[in-house]
Amino acid sequence: MDATRTRLLAVLGRALRGLMPLGLLLATHQALALTEMSDPDLGAVGGSGISLALSNFSIGFSPTGYLEAVGTGTPPSFNGVQDARGDLIWYNPTISKASAADSIGSMTARDNGAMANWGTQQDPWVLRVESPNSILYDGSTHPWSVLNYYAPSTACTGSGASLNCASANAFQYAFWGDIEVKNPSTGALTSRLQSQSIWDGLTLDGSKISVFQNTYDGSLGMAWHNVITTDPNHAFRFSVANTQTAGCPGSVSGSCADPATAAPAFDSKEGIYFWGLSINMPVGALQYQPIVFTNDPANPTNLIIQLVTLPNAAAAYQDFYGCGAVGSPQACTVDGNNNVLPTGGVTGASYLAHHGSLTSSDLQVVNPTTAATNPGVMTDFGSINVNGILMQHFSMKTL
Amino acid sequence: MKRIGIFLFGLFAVVARADLLPMDNNELRTVEGRNGVALALDLGLNISNAGATSSTPAIPKCSPSGSSIPCRIGIQLNNRDNLALASAAFVNAYGGTGITGYSNGTGKGWWLVYKNFYGRITAPRITLDAGAANYNNKSGSATSVPALVMSTNDLSGNPTPIILNNINIQNMSVEVDSASSSVTPQAPANLGYENPSETGFLSLKVNDLTGLTIRGSVTMFACQSNHPSC
């Protein structure tokens, strides 16, 4: 028995030695597994940005699908009277195709179907990280990393009355909404306002959202340049008249239910029409005026969203007031009336980079349609032109 | 004995042949794909009726604070604690004059907390396919790069709606850690998002049982330096 066992062990020993190369192969196979990259290795990796092109595109909730924001907590009281609670509901938000042109009575469909392109392969939406030379919060200039999300950049053709945005990624944005007022203690619905918003023919081309580590306090920073252009043949229509016969609240069915189970039938012509509404609104500046998120130490459960006050650093505020090429400030000049004069005037790139504007070629208000007057009486207020808006500081705190 | 040895060795040899072997780049290049991929996704978060049809309203499984399932998400930004105005200098390789007021992160951190968070998202069909992005590069010549094409279309080309079922954040609030900490992460007992209070300043809800309709397709490609926008 012992001799057999010894011989068996000897054979096994030889067999196992024969298997050693296999063991080595297995070991090297282990070495082919994934290995951790160190920070310097990761830092050496470079990449392109990501481009997005959307074709035959639309996105929208169903007619009774919604987003709801509800004020919670105990509403504050002023002079012994407690505020009511408010609910905001956005029903059926939809981004779809822009119409060829609008007229009173034609802006009725919240979903116009799929648009051919929103961003093309030649001019896409772009998400990329960049490190441009930037003016920091202390006034010094250095490269600073920022994650940028760019809208397409195709500009509308023509200008003024002949402005045309059809080939510049124009689209329609529409929703119908419900503003509900509720008793703060019982939660009962006391009043509500149902409205419809349709903005047809707008384009976001030229807009940008930036995310970065801010140089104000080292936390998250954001900046946003909002460019909305609409040509004079298209409008933003806001309307409230609808054919609800039973009063809301009161009835609890259909469009009066909470949440509504059917969309109201809105008047096809009534409303406020902002024709050619265009907005250029920079919020924040890279890198000396970030949007930050913080809280109030005295009341720490509430959130503050704040556009940081413009710093008292010459390089920063000279760039902000448009006194040089973008990112390269020069000393500002002041005229005899102590007005700060931007270099290149009010159409220069450095001025437009920080100054906001809002224009509308025509503002019309149309009364509800009645049997006697169809369309309702129309009042024309003319054009709107607001220019040179600078936001030195902005703070919003929840209560 | 020898026969046993050979038999055992034979067993080992058979097992060894089943190993995966790495392919080199030339071999990988000769592989061609065929059709794209279609995915069906159904995500139920903190709900008790995940097996119901996707348009049945989702029922939360969350229990009020102090019970077993508080259902919370907490987000903490860098440099957000009660020492945020401490006088530590902002040391950085950029060589600027620096800023003061940079927290060293050892105070009581604050969290943006989503309380009582639940819901269900069902995407019955998302297709992923390979395509090409064609554009004129910076020199004006036609260029084609590989692209990923995504859509929700079914085989007839109609979009399949994505069902957003009772996605609810009952309360949003900022909560502060109950004690300072010299280490990251904070000790569990002190964490702000464990604060049992269920109050907050805002509630958000998204609900579309018929579904969010996304028509068309998204083409995603690399933003290379020869592209005019990149």
Side-chain angles (χ1 to χ4, degrees), chain A residues 4 8 11-12 15 18-19 22 26 29 32 48-62 65-73 111 113-114 121-124 126 128 136 138 140 142 144 213 215-220 292-295 300-303 398-399, chain B residues 1 4-5 8-9 12 16 19-20 22 77-80 90 92 94-102 110 132-136 164 170-171 173-176 200-208 210-224 227-230:
Chain A
T4 318
L8 180 59
V11 165
L12 277 172
L19 287 171
L22 253 175
L26 283 169
H29 198 68
L32 294 170
S48 323
I50 297 176
S51 304
L52 294 168
L54 287 70
S55 51
N56 300 317
F57 179 78
S58 76
I59 181 169
F61 282 58
S62 63
Y66 63 89
L67 293 128
E68 181 176 7
V70 179
T72 55
D111 185 354
Q121 290 164 8
Q122 186 66 42
D123 182 25
V126 175
R128 59 198 305 238
L136 308 183
D138 64 2
S140 60
H142 296 278
W144 200 260
Q213 180 179 26
T215 51
Y216 166 70
D217 63 9
S219 183
L220 179 70
V292 298
F293 305 88
T294 181
N295 71 336
T301 60
N302 286 300
L303 177 69
T398 64
L399 289 173
Chain B
M1 291 297 111
I4 292 172
L8 283 170
F9 191 85
F12 278 112
D19 268 349
L20 296 173
L77 297 178
N78 200 19
N79 300 315
R80 280 289 172 261
F90 188 6
N92 197 286
Y94 73 78
T97 57
I99 60 169
T100 54
Y102 180 81
W110 68 252
N134 303 305
Y135 56 88
N136 296 329
L164 308 170
Q170 209 64 36
N171 252 309
S173 171
V174 176
E175 300 292 348
V176 183
F201 56 77
L202 184 68
S203 169
L204 291 175
K205 184 173 173 183
V206 180
N207 196 26
D208 192 341
T210 313
L212 170 74
T213 301
I214 303 177
R215 298 190 186 104
S217 63
V218 179
T219 303
M220 184 191 287
F221 55 100
C223 191
Q224 292 166 351
H227 191 290
S229 299
C230 302

Side-chain angles (χ1 to χ4, degrees), chain B residues 99-118:
Chain B
I99 60 169
T100 54
Y102 180 81
S103 163
N104 59 7
T106 60
K108 296 182 194 177
W110 68 252
W111 301 80
L112 180 63
V113 185
Y114 296 173
K115 300 178 180 175
N116 221 358
F117 180 34
Y118 60 89

